[in-house]
């Protein structure tokens, strides 16, 4: 048995050989470097080229164009406003409250699973 065969792990679904993976990694790295080296040479960092393009308009304040998480989920929050209002009243922001809820619900689930009901 050769040293290459000793590195091969055969299974019913195929084989695994670290030398093959290393060779593939090198091939893909060379392909990536070739693509990278053919990039646009006229790019200059720290110039107007790094500014975002917003249909030719100047971006004055980043906060005006930033999409916040609340904006993304606005429809869900608006539709479930009654549910979220109840949750917000329960939310204290203290980690000890969440640990207490976790332990309490865990105890109830354990009580049901053990057959105490």
């Amino acid at each position: 048995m050769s040293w290459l065969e000793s590195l091969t792990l055969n299974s019913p679904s195929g084989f695994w050989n670290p030398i093959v993976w290393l060779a593939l990694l090198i091939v893909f790295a060379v392909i990536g470097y070739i693509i990278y080296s053919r990039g646009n040479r006229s790019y200059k960092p720290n110039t107007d080229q790094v500014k975002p393009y917003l249909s030719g308009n100047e971006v004055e304040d980043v906060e005006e164009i930033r999409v916040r998480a609340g904006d993304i989920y606005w429809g869900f929050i608006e539709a479930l406003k009654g549910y979220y209002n109840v949750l917000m009243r329960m939310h204290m922001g203290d980690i000890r409250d969440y640990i207490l809820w976790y332990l309490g619900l865990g105890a109830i689930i354990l009580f049901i699973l053990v057959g105490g009901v």
Side-chain angles (χ1 to χ4, degrees), residues 62-81:
V62 177
E63 291 296 321
E64 291 181 15
I65 63 170
R66 181 171 290 155
V67 178
R68 293 173 180 81
D71 297 335
I72 294 172
Y73 298 110
W74 176 85
F76 292 113
I77 293 172
E78 193 65 28
L80 300 169
K81 187 178 274 189

Side-chain angles (χ1 to χ4, degrees), residues 48-61:
D48 286 342
Q49 290 181 346
V50 299
K51 289 184 178 178
Y53 180 75
L54 189 61
S55 301
N57 298 321
E58 284 288 324
V59 179
E60 297 172 7
D61 186 19

Side-chain angles (χ1 to χ4, degrees), residues 4-32:
L4 186 61
E5 290 175 356
S6 67
L7 290 176
T8 303
L9 175 65
N10 291 314
S11 70
S13 60
F15 73 96
W16 185 84
N17 189 321
I19 303 297
V20 173
W21 281 105
L22 186 61
L24 286 173
L25 179 68
I26 291 171
V27 167
F28 288 130
V30 168
I31 291 171

Side-chain angles (χ1 to χ4, degrees), residues 69-100:
D71 297 335
I72 294 172
Y73 298 110
W74 176 85
F76 292 113
I77 293 172
E78 193 65 28
L80 300 169
K81 187 178 274 189
Y83 174 71
Y84 283 117
N85 286 339
V86 172
L87 287 181
M88 291 304 288
R89 284 194 301 269
M90 290 175 22
H91 177 71
M92 299 296 165
D94 189 359
I95 190 70
R96 293 175 293 184
D97 291 337
Y98 302 120
I99 293 172
L100 182 63

